[in-house]
Amino acid sequence: MIGYPLLLIAIGVAVAIAMLKRRIDRLEQALQAMEARVDRLQRDGAAATSAAAIPYVVAPDVAAPIEPAPEHLASISPELDHRFQHAASAAETTPSAPAFTLPRLNFETLVGGRLPIWIGGVALVLAGFFLVRYSIEQGLLGPGARTCIAALFGLLLVAASEAVRRLPATRDDARLGQALAGAGIASLYGTLYMAAALYHLIAPIPAFGAVVLVTLGAMGLSLRHGPPTAIMALVGGFVAPLVAGFDAAGIGPLLVYLGLFVAALFGLAVHRRWGWLAFAASFAGLAWAQFLIAVLDGRGSLASVGGFTMLVAGGASAALPVAGIRNRWLRLAPLLVGLLQLVAIAPGLDFGPLAWSFYLVLAAATLVLAWRDPLYLPGALASLVLLLALEGLAFTAPHHGAAPVAAVVATLLFAGAGQWLWSKGRLWVLMALLGAGGPVLVAHAFAQGLLPDLGWTLCELAAAVACARLAWCLARDRDDPALTAATAMTGLLATVAIAQALPSGWRSVAFALALGGLALWARRVQARALFALPVLPLIATVVGGAVHLAMVALVVGQSLGGERLLYAGLPLAGDLLRQLALPTLAAIAFLVDPRAFGRWRRAASAVAAALAVLMLYVLAKQPLAIASIEQFLAWGFIERALLTQLCLGTGWGLLRSNRLPVLGRALLLLGLARLLWFDGVLLNAAFVAQRAGPLLALHFGLAAFWCWTLPKLRVPAALLSIAAALAVVRWLAHGMVLTGPMSSLENGGYSAVLLVLALGWLWRGIAASRHDLRLAGLGLLTATTFKVFLVDAAALDGLLRILSFLGLGVALIAIGWAYSRFLARPAAAEQPVS
């Protein structure tokens, strides 16, 4: 129960940080105004001074009389004149001393003049620490003596820094005082840590006062000696606990010490506008927090580390802009690192109230900062994304902890802020959408047992309404990507809500409603990007029916390999229709609009057509239900021919009406491919026993009709016509089952029927002035002639051979005479091929 009071305390701290940030912003504005005013006054004073110092002008080589100063300079303040006269007299009486400067930076000046001083300062700090450590290891001194020696050593270093500032030999080199002062401050910090945390020589309250005094001293020395001293103090203050043993007195006192030290550095950075110091302090503080997270490994004091991380990240967000940091990512870095650390801490705290309170307070502070300064808005979005990840981790853990309550709070926090501020920018719209839909969708995905189905439906519908409000407000700007995002999130939430309320076998109803709703909304708003959104429910339909579609695809693959008994491998027709029928019909209805599915129109058309074809395939397999060889012998060809003619007839109708030509062309090609592969190669009725009889000739003849009546399909039409004629002879020779050897009479029948077909094409081509038919007739006549001379002559004997050659000779002579007279006529206009 202690977590909830701490949550209130953390919220209070966040509010205090926000108020402090607002006050600091006002002070910064006032300071900038004062600086601008001082600069203006200095420019005016410099201009007046230069004018007063030149009362006359002397031309080169020409003596000019002295002219009085202009009248407007007589108004110069006597006090200003006195000040400049005093400065001039002081400059004349005081001898100028050469300033101490090092030559330009090179290897010699770096190694010989610069680095030794700073390395020496660090060495002094380490010497003091190791002296105390040596005394401990050897047992030479007691705790009190060790602490006094360390404190005296630090004070001597500070005193030495002041002494070198006054000695004539060293006062010109400020680095000596800076190094000694920094080393002394670091030593004093370490001494206080040992005295209070390690040896308990000082009570907590006096120790706190001593830390405050040392911190004030460090700030004062930094103001006196400059940034190098601040650097030495920073390094020494953060390294001191490591040297003395960071866990000697527990994690709590260490975090108090680190917190006070970081706060002091923030104050100094803000006072001197040292942005680098504020960033370094925040980085070092968070590095300590990460070190403690790794060392503790989920054991104790993680709550204290979480509070420390929250305060450091929040304090850095308030201090960095005031200290002069303007770079966006430098200002966001402490916030993001702090959020990541809180995510890492949460499992160790069992996702309890403390873990969520730390994270939500820092996230709320990020939102406040983003409201005040848009620069922090990416950080606020990142905090929302990390929160969703943390929520997923919590719901996949054995114990959810306070994750359900945190999800509700996060929804109100982020969705509320986004709904309130959506007009300030599109990132706020994204915040509102993710805040409304993200937590409930993550909870539903990973912890469905938290609520009954009706509860999930109501929650997701409420979130959908919130997103729909934004879509309605954004509808005036058709080209705004935020409108597309709001519409997509609304559709997603509504689809999940409706699907949750339906039985498991009827989820496709939700997909169909979503597709139809998105299509209607796109047509109402007339936004180009919205027309592409209905492809998402179509994809969801395919994913939802993936199992049944895979079964159908497997059966189709088996049929392409020659398998005859396919019915047993098909899914139940009712289940397939429940999952695919309604969304497919909705997609086909939407395709009537030429703008449907936007740039995904072709892909959506192909998917919808494929789904429709597969469903029809399964339905076509139901009436006959061929599951045995006997059934295949009786009904196999009929079933196959009906499916092929359905594809050919539908494709022909779509192409003739010029509606959905792409779909019509695809169906027509599918039918021709089926006819060629199954009826011509794989399951040819002349080789595979099946009751085809006259139906085979009718099958080929009807396919030839579809092709003759369409342009650019003359060659397939002619070949199918030949196949139909040959099928008639085969039927007359063999009956219903067309398998068996070919007799001499059958062979002659083939020649006769081919000759008749060639004559028919020639006659029709001459009568209708159809050049293509005449060429087809001549080609078939040539092929028939070769067959008679090369095949029939060897296969026939006796009277049949005589009759065969007699008939061919008469036919060829008659054809040649008639065709030569046709060619001798005056040329007439050829009928165009339609």
Side-chain angles (χ1 to χ4, degrees):
M1 298 299 293
I2 193 173
Y4 295 101
L6 288 176
L7 173 60
L8 296 177
I9 294 173
I11 293 174
V13 171
V15 173
I17 291 175
M19 296 176 62
L20 177 62
K21 174 67 169 56
R22 186 173 182 180
R23 185 175 181 84
I24 289 174
D25 289 342
R26 292 179 179 176
L27 292 175
E28 184 180 11
Q29 294 174 0
L31 180 61
Q32 291 176 352
M34 292 178 64
E35 288 178 348
R37 184 175 180 184
V38 170
D39 291 340
R40 186 170 61 254
L41 292 175
Q42 288 178 349
R43 286 195 302 268
D44 295 342
T49 303
S50 60
I54 309 175
Y56 57 86
V57 179
V58 179
D61 300 330
V62 179
I66 298 175
E67 297 181 0
E71 295 181 357
H72 70 276
L73 297 179
S75 61
I76 298 176
S77 172
E79 181 180 354
L80 187 62
D81 292 339
H82 175 71
R83 186 182 306 167
F84 282 106
Q85 292 174 3
H86 177 73
S89 61
E92 293 176 358
T93 56
T94 304
S96 59
F100 176 80
T101 57
L102 284 173
R104 64 182 182 86
L105 185 64
N106 54 38
F107 177 77
E108 182 180 6
T109 58
L110 178 65
V111 177
R114 299 178 185 270
L115 289 181
I117 293 178
W118 302 116
I119 296 175
V122 175
L124 289 176
V125 177
L126 295 177
F129 287 146
F130 288 124
L131 175 62
V132 175
R133 192 161 192 158
Y134 176 77
S135 66
I136 295 173
E137 294 172 352
Q138 300 298 323
L140 300 177
L141 301 172
R146 297 167 192 162
T147 304
C148 292
I149 291 175
L152 182 60
F153 181 73
L155 293 174
L156 288 175
L157 290 176
V158 173
S161 70
E162 293 299 315
V164 297
R165 283 177 55 87
R166 291 172 172 77
L167 293 176
T170 57
R171 63 186 178 187
D172 293 331
D173 191 351
R175 296 170 304 149
L176 297 175
Q178 293 168 352
L180 291 173
I185 291 299
S187 300
L188 290 176
Y189 273 119
T191 301
L192 287 174
Y193 181 77
M194 287 189 300
L198 189 59
Y199 298 134
H200 303 287
L201 297 176
I202 308 176
I205 295 179
F208 175 79
V211 170
V212 171
L213 290 177
V214 173
T215 301
L216 293 176
M219 294 175 61
L221 290 173
S222 299
L223 294 173
R224 187 174 179 82
H225 291 280
T229 303
I231 294 175
M232 297 293 292
L234 182 143
V235 174
F238 281 114
V239 171
L242 290 175
V243 176
F246 71 93
D247 57 348
I251 303 300
L254 172 64
L255 292 176
V256 172
Y257 162 77
L258 291 174
L260 292 174
F261 186 54
V262 171
L265 292 175
F266 282 164
L268 178 60
V270 170
H271 180 73
R272 292 298 298 267
R273 296 186 66 81
W274 288 343
W276 60 269
L277 181 60
F279 184 80
S282 60
F283 176 81
L286 294 173
W288 258 106
Q290 186 60 42
F291 170 74
L292 293 176
I293 294 172
V295 170
L296 293 175
D297 193 21
R299 296 178 287 102
S301 300
L302 274 180
S304 302
V305 177
F308 173 77
T309 300
M310 180 191 68
L311 293 175
V312 170
S317 302
L320 287 177
V322 185
I325 295 292
R326 293 290 177 263
N327 184 273
R328 165 180 291 184
W329 301 111
L330 291 181
R331 289 167 66 173
L332 287 176
L335 270 177
L336 298 179
V337 173
L339 291 168
L340 284 171
Q341 289 182 349
L342 292 177
V343 171
I345 289 172
L349 297 177
D350 296 327
F351 302 101
L354 273 178
W356 286 106
S357 63
F358 291 148
Y359 190 92
L360 290 174
V361 167
L362 188 57
T366 308
L367 284 174
V368 173
L369 291 172
W371 169 55
R372 300 280 304 186
D373 188 351
L375 183 143
Y376 287 98
L377 192 50
L381 282 173
S383 69
L384 174 55
V385 173
L386 290 175
L387 184 140
L388 296 178
L390 180 59
E391 183 185 357
L393 289 175
F395 283 124
T396 54
H399 302 287
H400 304 329
V405 177
V408 175
V409 174
T411 301
L412 297 176
L413 181 65
F414 287 99
Q419 292 282 344
W420 178 36
L421 301 170
W422 69 269
S423 59
K424 295 185 67 174
R426 295 303 171 244
L427 289 180
W428 284 108
V429 176
L430 182 59
M431 179 86 66
L433 297 176
L434 288 179
V440 66
L441 290 176
V442 171
H444 192 175
F446 294 103
Q448 190 172 359
L450 283 177
L451 295 175
D453 291 343
L454 180 60
W456 287 118
T457 298
L458 294 177
C459 290
E460 285 154 354
L461 284 178
V465 169
C467 296
R469 173 188 174 273
L470 290 177
W472 183 267
C473 295
L474 294 165
R476 291 171 293 181
D477 192 356
R478 300 176 182 176
D479 298 328
D480 193 345
L483 172 61
T484 306
T487 303
M489 182 59 78
T490 303
L492 174 62
L493 289 167
T495 303
V496 176
I498 296 173
Q500 190 64 32
L502 295 172
S504 59
W506 293 94
R507 301 290 169 85
S508 61
V509 175
F511 299 149
L513 291 176
L515 197 153
L518 291 174
L520 292 176
W521 175 247
R523 298 184 67 177
R524 185 187 187 284
V525 179
Q526 299 294 319
R528 183 180 305 175
L530 294 183
F531 281 96
L533 287 182
V535 77
L536 298 177
L538 186 60
I539 294 174
T541 300
V542 174
V543 174
V547 175
H548 291 83
L549 289 175
M551 295 175 64
V552 178
L554 180 61
V555 168
V556 171
Q558 292 174 346
S559 68
L560 292 175
E563 178 63 35
R564 304 173 191 179
L565 306 178
L566 303 171
Y567 179 76
L570 291 173
L572 295 178
D575 294 343
L576 186 68
L577 292 178
R578 278 198 301 271
Q579 289 192 347
L580 301 179
L582 289 178
T584 303
L585 291 176
I588 293 174
F590 186 39
L591 283 169
V592 176
D593 191 330
R595 299 164 297 178
F597 297 106
R599 59 178 178 174
W600 306 105
R601 179 178 176 83
R602 288 191 176 182
S605 302
V607 171
L611 293 177
V613 168
L614 291 177
M615 285 188 290
L616 291 175
Y617 177 79
V618 174
L619 289 176
K621 291 287 186 181
Q622 302 304 314
L624 299 178
I626 299 175
S628 64
I629 294 297
E630 292 76 12
Q631 289 177 313
F632 175 80
L633 177 64
W635 302 103
F637 175 77
I638 296 176
E639 182 186 72
R640 187 170 67 252
L642 288 176
L643 285 175
T644 301
Q645 292 299 327
L646 179 63
C647 293
L648 291 173
T650 305
W652 178 84
L654 292 176
L655 288 175
R656 294 284 289 185
S657 64
N658 200 25
R659 300 184 66 177
L660 301 176
V662 175
L663 178 60
R665 194 176 298 111
L667 290 174
L668 189 68
L669 292 176
L670 176 62
L672 292 175
R674 281 181 54 85
L675 192 146
L676 174 63
W677 180 248
F678 292 114
D679 298 320
V681 178
L682 201 63
L683 299 176
N684 193 318
F687 307 107
V688 179
Q690 47 197 312
R691 297 180 64 83
L695 296 178
L696 180 62
L698 179 62
H699 181 44
F700 284 138
L702 188 56
F705 168 77
W706 303 129
C707 294
W708 279 119
T709 54
L710 290 174
K712 299 181 181 180
L713 289 177
R714 303 303 183 188
V715 174
L719 294 176
L720 288 170
S721 300
I722 294 172
L726 297 177
V728 171
V729 175
R730 188 73 176 179
W731 165 55
L732 294 175
H734 293 272
M736 292 302 296
V737 179
L738 305 180
T739 57
M742 182 175 59
S743 64
S744 299
L745 183 60
E746 180 184 354
N747 187 30
Y750 290 144
S751 300
V753 76
L754 291 176
L755 182 60
V756 172
L757 183 61
L759 292 175
W761 282 350
L762 284 173
W763 170 78
R764 181 61 183 166
I766 293 172
S769 298
R770 292 281 298 274
H771 184 253
D772 58 333
L773 286 178
R774 295 198 303 271
L775 291 180
L778 291 174
L780 182 58
L781 180 63
T782 303
T784 304
T785 302
F786 276 105
K787 176 182 180 299
V788 170
F789 279 98
L790 299 178
V791 178
D792 295 355
L796 300 177
D797 55 3
L799 184 60
L800 290 177
R801 180 184 297 177
I802 296 171
L803 292 176
S804 175
F805 278 93
L806 179 63
L808 178 63
V810 172
L812 289 175
I813 291 172
I815 290 170
W817 175 80
Y819 205 75
S820 62
R821 292 179 64 86
F822 167 75
L823 293 176
R825 292 189 310 174
E830 294 285 343
Q831 181 177 347
V833 178
S834 60

